[in-house]
């Protein structure tokens, strides 16, 4: 830990962006991915995986952008896991 904000400690490049904006956009992407999954276009997990791959590719030429994209992919992965856990719960 470097003593920065929690986002800076986890993602060193986060100091170059607004952490609240990054989280808000990640949440918005999760909502849109959920709608796409509901329509049968693609699952949230699939969108997360593709975004994760894109973040790695982008990070090779633009590390800060790649880091933000990776954060968004992680937010989507968390959303997909929570949905999977909820779907397994007995009613």
């Amino acid at each position: 830990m470097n003593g920065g904000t929690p986002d800076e400690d986890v993602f060193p490049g986060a100091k170059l962006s607004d952490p609240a904006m990054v989280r808000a956009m990640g949440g918005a992407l999760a909502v849109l991915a959920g709608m796409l999954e509901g329509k049968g276009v693609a699952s949230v997990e699939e969108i997360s995986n593709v975004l994760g791959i894109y973040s790695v590719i982008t990070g090779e030429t633009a590390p800060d952008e790649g880091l933000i994209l990776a954060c968004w992919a992680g937010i989507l992965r968390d959303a997909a896991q929570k949905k999977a856990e909820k779907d397994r719960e007995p009613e």
Side-chain angles (χ1 to χ4, degrees), residues 34-59:
M35 292 177 69
L36 289 171
E37 182 171 20
K39 297 288 185 180
V41 175
S43 69
V44 175
E45 182 178 6
E46 180 182 6
I47 295 168
S48 169
N49 290 339
V50 170
L51 189 57
I53 293 166
Y54 178 61
S55 76
V56 171
I57 294 166
T58 300

